[in-house]
Amino acid sequence: MLSTLTISRWLSTYSNACYQSCKKLGISQRPFNVFPQLYYSVQVENRIEDKLLSLKWDDGKILNYPHIYLRDHCPCPSCYDPQTKQRIISNLVLDNYSKATIKTAHISHDNDKLLIEWMDDGSHTSSSYQLDWLKTHRLISSAENKQFRIKRRLWDSNMELNMPRFDFNKVLNNKLELYEWLRSILQNGATIIDNIPKQTGQIQKIAQQVTDLRLSFYGKTFQVESLGKDAATVVYQNQRLPLHSDFSFANNTPGIQMLHCIAAAKQGGESLVCDAFKAAEMLRESHPEYFDLLVKYPLEYEDKRTINAEFFYLSLHPIISLYYNGEIKQICYTDHTRTSTLYVPQEKVTSYYKALAKFLEYAYSSDAMAQFKLQAGSMIALDNYRMLHGRTAYDVLPGTHRHLEGGYFDWDGVMSYMRVFERDHRINDKTPSM
Amino acid sequence: ENRIEDKLLSLKWDDGKIINYPHHYLRDHCPFQSCNNPQVGQPASSSLTLDSYAKTTIKRAQIDQDNNELHIEWMNDDLHTSSTYKLDWLKTHQLVSSSESNKFQIKRHLWNSHKKYTIPRFDFNKVLNDKLELYEWLRSILQNGLAFIDNMPTETGQLQKITQQVTDFRYTYYGNIFQIQSLGENAATVVYKNQRLPLHSDFSFSNNTPGLQILHCISAAKQGGESLLSDAFKAAEMLRENYPEYFDLLAKYPLEYEDKRTIDAEFFFMALHPVISLYHNGEIKQVCYTDHTRTSILHVPQEKVVAYYKALEKFLDYVYSADCMLQFKLQPGSMMAFDNYRILHGRTEFNVLPGSKRHFEGTYLDWDGVMSYMRVFERDQNISDKTPSM
């Protein structure tokens, strides 16, 4: 007698195999189940006055689905186009379904679908939803803590010794290694790739496989060399560079920053890397009122210079940006480009500076910051939305040369690449939206 | 007056107004030689922790009338003991209190049922050859949300003549420049088919949405295919006034957007955007809304979903109302450019009959690049009404 578990495993394997062959034939890739999961004891209650549909699942859990939500996402061919995989119905105003109410609802005989009849919905009288879909589309209440974002590993004082390291040849030649490298940047904030030829043009080799390098007025890649008298910005001089984000003066900041060390300075020039999300969480815990100040009021950044053409970038960024549920989305802070225009009300300015001082204290602490010498042939990749980076001063003596090549990716392009990989390799832990 | 306990410096100006300058703020922006790096024009001083000026306090402050300067002596400051500030600088760097309305952002002219008919129109040759016309065209897009250019040749390749003077294209997977033509069965997305397209923003599935969208009409459909544009900032302000709780819902909870397709390579973009995004002072920064790419994942708590849909319904009512929406037929040889952060666009359906072809050429620009161009122009031409940050 076959157990349910064996059957469902077999179904799952078979389903996978069908999925792969269908993919080769170019058949639809939308939530696709050859053999959807079967539910044997789902109970349905239509709470018409509240315009809610209550489903009690096998595990006893009761979940409520507002009628309007179900109507808004009806998957029938007149509401959803299978060819373009996009909505045909638009919205409740244009398509006039704001009054749609569920008249009856019951589970199909084969236990895999919910069948609904509508009223006050014109000629659209019925819908059918896969129970699988309903399970993944449950709406949770405010009270439940919904951790839906990217699972990041915040740093601690051990990070300096435990920085994730990858090998250049493996990353270039093994797609899974390349994916793991990207994922590591997303989760850990920083990674190092070793054994890279000590010449320019290496970052491009990675870019060719993932997504275009971001084009800035410095070009697709930029060279960080000590240029002495000709330096355009402090970056290109040789003094200390405090912890900062790159391109804060742009409203759209780069996602990943890569710095490939071609030649390291004989003395000094060490890299400083800080997990600013960790510093911010430390601030949120010890001084929540300071945290709120850094979230609320933006700083202004500008960059005016001439490189091929004249530029005058200006942007506003609070130091800490949050998602709607309070999780941190981005940290942005740069001293050498922030302006003297302050958008903090006068009576809060002193507190704002205190908040900033505390945040920076955490950022430079050993719990959040690592300091190390990037060796020639190695490259560091950082999440520019999360990490702050800097360097110690170095000497420009004859015979001493420091040369790094850098480039940026936008998160949109990188994450798109990751999601396609996850889909092709059926990886469950999917990259959500930034 | 140096109010040491409050760490404030009070200046009473000629007009009797008293403005307070926190000590920290002044120290943070000391214009002294060692605090600035003259070669690159960037501050040499860095953050409070590194340079230990967090405890800095003003010991003494004195006005120098002859030189129009303020001299300050510091105490508890490791790095230096005095600073000098120009009075002019102090005047332009006043910090306002919370109660004062700090309207610092782009001055936009919201639409209404009359204003929508007075959107500026420009001439192609003038825009190409006169830098001030080009600037005014960009400024109209920023202030009015929209601008038209007429008398363009009805061929492809015209858009870049204008845009290459301003900034690089924004590259999307549809190419730098894209063609919208009636394609019938092979269409990649609903945009490329011929049915109605409801009002929407473009590239909502990208976290970085394009700033400007430019569409040049090369040939118009014989029937239908009219353009719909709506000032969503106006719609949002109407919502804020009449239904503030709905406004708050649309500002708080994001919608999820996605785009999965294969064009040269495979893509899978995803993004979260609330319908309404605000600056810290409550002014509207962006409206983002697209039906055909929004997903079925809803990041609204279950007990607020019904109210959220009501809010959306009310907002869309306003969006499609006469105060906000403009409907017109863009003629061959004309081009419209609009602010994709503010204006929702769509079209009515059209017929793909033999002899009836609809062909638009389009492109996107990012606001960062466009505004940089505008600021350089303002500086070079000494225009005082400067473009602030987006």
Side-chain angles (χ1 to χ4, degrees), chain B residues 373-390:
Chain B
Y373 175 87
M374 291 171 74
R375 289 183 203 109
V376 171
F377 185 86
E378 284 154 6
R379 185 180 59 194
D380 292 347
Q381 309 292 321
N382 273 319
I383 294 174
S384 53
D385 192 11
K386 302 186 190 307
T387 300
S389 164
M390 172 56 83

Side-chain angles (χ1 to χ4, degrees), chain A residues 69 72 87 90-91 137 140 142 149 229 237 252 310 312 338 340 347 353 412 416 419 423, chain B residues 25 28 37 39 93 96 98 206-208 266 268 272 291 294 296 302-303 309 368 372 375 379:
Chain A
Y69 173 69
D72 195 33
R87 297 168 62 86
S90 305
N91 56 68
H137 287 74
I140 59 180
S142 306
R149 296 278 69 159
K229 291 204 183 59
Q237 294 180 331
N252 172 36
E310 279 199 78
F312 191 158
R338 69 184 167 89
S340 50
E347 67 274 13
Y353 276 102
D412 273 335
S416 168
R419 287 183 203 110
R423 186 180 58 193
Chain B
Y25 174 67
D28 192 32
N37 186 325
Q39 183 193 347
H93 286 76
V96 297
S98 303
S206 167
N207 281 290
N208 172 36
E266 281 199 76
F268 192 157
L272 288 177
D291 281 305
R294 66 182 169 90
S296 49
Q302 183 255 293
E303 68 273 12
Y309 275 100
D368 272 336
S372 168
R375 289 183 203 109
R379 185 180 59 194

Side-chain angles (χ1 to χ4, degrees), chain B residues 97-299:
Chain B
S97 67
S98 303
S99 52
E100 288 172 42
S101 173
N102 194 6
K103 290 222 169 272
F104 65 99
Q105 283 315 74
I106 297 145
K107 296 192 187 35
R108 301 179 195 273
H109 304 145
L110 297 188
W111 294 7
N112 58 41
S113 47
H114 301 296
K115 239 196 162 80
K116 64 187 188 182
Y117 294 117
T118 60
I119 301 293
R121 304 193 81 97
F122 295 79
D123 175 78
F124 186 55
N125 279 313
K126 284 211 191 119
V127 168
L128 274 190
N129 297 310
D130 182 345
K131 292 257 176 257
L132 185 59
E133 276 300 279
L134 177 60
Y135 172 80
E136 292 294 345
W137 169 68
L138 291 172
R139 209 164 165 89
S140 176
I141 301 167
L142 197 51
Q143 286 182 334
N144 302 308
L146 172 66
F148 294 101
I149 294 187
D150 299 312
N151 307 321
M152 292 175 73
T154 48
E155 327 162 328
T156 58
Q158 306 308 308
L159 292 183
Q160 54 227 64
K161 294 181 185 170
I162 297 179
T163 58
Q164 68 201 15
Q165 299 198 31
V166 179
T167 183
D168 284 326
F169 296 115
R170 176 201 167 91
Y171 177 78
T172 67
Y173 52 65
Y174 292 113
N176 289 331
I177 306 238
F178 52 89
Q179 312 299 328
I180 301 177
Q181 299 177 75
S182 43
L183 286 175
E185 287 314 304
N186 293 330
T189 83
V190 291
V191 175
Y192 294 93
K193 286 189 169 178
N194 58 315
Q195 71 259 42
R196 163 201 85 173
L197 261 188
L199 292 171
H200 65 282
S201 328
D202 266 8
F203 272 74
S204 301
F205 46 79
S206 167
N207 281 290
N208 172 36
T209 50
L212 280 77
Q213 160 145 163
I214 304 181
L215 289 169
H216 167 212
C217 178
I218 292 170
S219 64
K222 280 224 163 40
Q223 258 181 321
E226 298 199 358
S227 300
L228 305 168
L229 294 178
S230 175
D231 184 354
F233 277 28
K234 170 74 184 209
E237 291 295 356
M238 287 164 79
L239 189 72
R240 190 194 330 233
E241 192 176 319
N242 300 320
Y243 298 90
E245 69 286 5
Y246 284 170
F247 182 90
D248 290 342
L249 281 172
L250 298 188
K252 185 172 165 77
Y253 298 107
L255 292 173
E256 186 182 271
Y257 296 92
E258 77 177 15
D259 196 41
K260 297 183 261 198
R261 63 197 62 263
T262 306
I263 300 173
D264 298 338
E266 281 199 76
F267 297 96
F268 192 157
F269 280 84
M270 260 173 84
L272 288 177
H273 290 286
V275 174
I276 302 172
S277 300
L278 303 176
Y279 288 107
H280 71 281
N281 66 348
E283 289 186 47
I284 301 176
K285 177 171 180 175
Q286 181 176 5
V287 170
C288 185
Y289 186 70
T290 306
D291 281 305
H292 53 272
T293 53
R294 66 182 169 90
T295 71
S296 49
I297 304 285
L298 200 56
H299 290 285

